Amino acid sequence: MYVVLVYDMEADRTQKMLRLSRRYLTHVQNSVLEGEISAGDLEELRGHIEALLKDGESVVLYELSSDSLLNRTVYGEDPTEDSRFI
Amino acid sequence: MYVVLVYDMEADRTQKMLRLSRRYLTHVQNSVLEGEISAGDLEELRGHIEALLKDGESVVLYELSSDSLLNRTVYGEDPTEDSRFI
């Protein structure tokens, strides 16, 4: 399973979400992470997200079949830490 | 072609990007839009994005084959204006 996660947190709580989601996914842009994830880890991640979110904050989680991401283009700054092509 | 767009703009320029991308896609979360788009419109949108971005701002554009999005889960606030299930 390939997952793209986008979060929208209060400014002073951004690091909490980033720290959590980085345990499972790769940081792609300020508020975006993505990566291959097992069903079990995804379930775990969902639980952590629900526990962390407060009113006014949100997370969108896209689940894709692993071979369905045709292209990713980053315009502007690209903070991706690794250079792997997906 | 199905596209997910995530932007990271300076606070006072957020509305510009939102106004632009809403001409092509549906607003899903604060900084996320998505939708079915033709190859021609996508090309046009790419040009507008490149023209609009300034240093320090970025956009990530995911292209998916139309039937490959398995699931989208929104945690917290869901500003999606329509209730269509994808």
Side-chain angles (χ1 to χ4, degrees):
Chain A
M1 182 79 68
Y2 202 85
V3 160
V4 176
L5 182 159
V6 187
Y7 61 76
D8 180 28
M9 307 290 287
E10 284 177 28
D12 60 345
R13 288 168 38 80
T14 300
Q15 285 305 313
K16 277 193 180 171
M17 179 58 79
L18 186 55
R19 216 175 306 131
L20 162 64
S21 44
R22 263 184 152 160
R23 282 160 44 197
Y24 303 88
L25 303 168
T26 303
H27 194 200
V28 177
Q29 195 215 37
N30 268 356
S31 59
V32 186
L33 297 97
E34 62 178 65
E36 193 67 39
I37 191 170
S38 71
D41 278 356
L42 181 55
E43 204 51 45
E44 198 179 282
L45 176 57
R46 287 179 184 282
H48 287 309
I49 289 170
E50 289 182 47
L52 183 59
L53 285 186
K54 289 191 175 173
D55 281 359
E57 299 177 336
S58 66
V59 165
V60 188
L61 204 58
Y62 292 98
E63 292 171 53
L64 317 173
S65 54
S66 294
D67 59 349
S68 64
L69 184 55
L70 302 181
N71 192 20
R72 181 188 70 200
T73 316
V74 179
Y75 297 93
E77 317 235 313
D78 183 354
T80 308
E81 292 115 326
D82 57 6
S83 59
R84 116 196 114 90
F85 180 71
I86 49 167
Chain B
M1 182 77 68
Y2 202 86
V3 161
V4 175
L5 182 158
V6 187
Y7 60 76
D8 180 27
M9 306 289 288
E10 284 177 27
D12 59 345
R13 289 169 35 83
T14 299
Q15 285 306 313
K16 276 193 181 172
M17 179 57 79
L18 186 55
R19 215 175 307 129
L20 162 64
S21 43
R22 264 183 150 161
R23 283 162 43 197
Y24 302 89
L25 304 168
T26 303
H27 194 199
V28 176
Q29 195 215 38
N30 269 355
S31 59
V32 186
L33 297 97
E34 60 178 68
E36 193 66 40
I37 191 170
S38 70
D41 278 356
L42 181 55
E43 204 51 45
E44 198 178 282
L45 175 57
R46 287 180 185 281
H48 287 310
I49 289 170
E50 289 182 47
L52 184 58
L53 285 186
K54 290 191 176 173
D55 281 357
E57 298 176 337
S58 65
V59 165
V60 188
L61 204 58
Y62 292 97
E63 292 172 54
L64 318 174
S65 55
S66 294
D67 58 352
S68 64
L69 185 55
L70 302 181
N71 192 21
R72 182 189 68 201
T73 316
V74 180
Y75 297 93
E77 317 236 311
D78 183 355
T80 309
E81 292 115 327
D82 56 7
S83 59
R84 115 197 114 89
F85 180 71
I86 48 167

